Structure formats: structure tokens, C-alpha cells
Amino acid sequence: MKTIHLPISESIRKQLRAGDQLYLTGYLYTGRDAAHKLMVEATQKQEVLPFPIEGETIYYTGPTPPQPGQIIGSCGPTSSYRMDVYSIPLMEKGLKVMIGKGPRGEDFQSSLIQNEAVYLVTTGGIGALLSKRVKSMELIAYPHLQSEAIYRLYVEDFPVIVAYDSLGNNLFGTMQ
């Protein structure tokens, strides 16, 4: 396992290869379908995004509310294919790292290569364990979306695997 500090620098990102196992430490942002849709609409209206996405990491999760004494509730990954249509325009605006679960579509993969981005996966079904890697959580935007709002998380040793690298190699086989 390699420890990588967020945000991931361009040189390190380009060295990552499908199958690499990583521990991430640093800040990342959460977002699911509804938040992605609002961000894409904002870019279409040439509005400022809720956070500067260039070079950043988005984790596709909708954390459950924390119990007393917890920073965050369960925060497992959601199926990523639903974000494909939104991820493409966001990569064009500078988004470079996405975390979720499952394979992505051919258009997403092509855009990922073109934008020299990477797609990471983490294990579904272990959201309670992943929540223990979150050391702080701050609401950033879209509070009306509740658990699907955008949060800024500080994570330590957050486990992921490189599913698609910037060269087009992928863990799921050939392009879907």
C-alpha cells in the first residue's frame, strides 16, 4: 500500500496504475447525483462552483447522520456510473480524481484519458469502517440535499484501489 497525500499532484497522479492500492490522507469532497447535477448546471451558467475543483478529489458518498460523539455516519461508496454524465464536464473544468464503486461507461473512460484523470474504488458495504478514517467534516454547499450535500472531509489512511488510470488501464477489463 502506498500512502498518498491529497490533493494528488499531477506527477503522482500520472504515475498511478490500475491495481495500485493506496491510503489517502488529506481533504476530499463528497458528492452524489444531485450535487453533481447542480455543479454542472452552475458551470453551464458560468457561475462559481462551491469549491475549486481543479485537481481535487470527489468521493461519491451520501453519509448517514453521525451518532452522538461521531464525526460522520456510515460513508460507503455509491455506484459511480450514475455520475458519468456529470463527471465528464467536471473533468473538463479540472476535476482529476473520483472515488466510488463499480465500472464506468466508455464515454467516461475516454474523457478520463483525455483529461489525465484517475478513478479510484473503495469497497462497498463497509461504510461504518470507512467512517473511522474520517477525522473532520464540514458542510460546503447545497444543504437542502441533506446527506447528499457537498461536504469537505479530512481523511487519514482512507483505503482505495486505482480502477482506471490516466493511460486507460482498468481493473474491470476492456472498455464497457
Side-chain angles (χ1 to χ4, degrees):
M1 296 286 272
K2 299 178 192 174
T3 298
I4 303 288
H5 294 277
L6 300 173
I8 299 174
S9 71
E10 180 178 2
S11 63
I12 290 176
R13 189 181 69 250
K14 289 180 178 181
Q15 292 174 34
L16 296 175
R17 294 296 171 259
D20 286 351
Q21 297 176 32
L22 312 173
Y23 282 129
L24 303 179
T25 294
Y27 289 99
L28 56 79
Y29 296 86
T30 68
R32 288 184 46 164
D33 319 44
H36 275 67
K37 181 178 185 218
L38 291 173
M39 288 192 303
V40 168
E41 288 172 353
T43 64
Q44 291 168 340
K45 296 175 188 173
Q46 298 187 5
E47 296 173 353
V48 176
L49 290 174
F51 65 95
I53 65 169
E54 190 162 331
E56 288 296 345
T57 300
I58 291 184
Y59 177 33
Y60 305 141
T61 188
T64 63
Q67 295 297 316
Q70 290 182 321
I71 294 168
I72 191 171
S74 180
C75 61
T78 193
S79 298
S80 302
Y81 69 90
R82 294 191 319 264
M83 267 55 74
D84 282 5
V85 68
Y86 306 120
S87 297
I88 293 169
L90 293 177
M91 281 189 282
E92 292 168 0
K93 296 293 184 186
L95 178 63
K96 296 297 182 186
V97 183
M98 293 140 282
I99 305 169
K101 71 176 181 181
R104 310 294 293 265
E106 186 175 329
D107 289 342
F108 171 86
Q109 292 177 60
S110 295
S111 182
L112 184 117
I113 295 164
Q114 179 182 347
N115 289 286
E116 298 178 318
V118 295
Y119 170 56
L120 312 174
V121 292
T122 193
T123 305
I126 62 166
L129 290 173
L130 292 172
S131 72
K132 296 181 184 321
R133 304 300 176 110
V134 178
K135 303 306 177 185
S136 71
M137 180 174 85
E138 172 189 7
L139 176 64
I140 296 297
Y142 313 133
H144 64 284
L145 297 177
Q146 299 176 348
S147 68
E148 293 192 31
I150 295 176
Y151 292 92
R152 184 177 188 228
L153 307 181
Y154 184 82
V155 298
E156 289 180 357
D157 297 328
F158 193 87
V160 296
I161 299 170
V162 179
Y164 299 151
D165 64 35
S166 62
L167 299 177
N169 302 306
N170 81 66
L171 286 181
F172 300 107
T174 58
M175 293 179 107
Q176 305 293 317

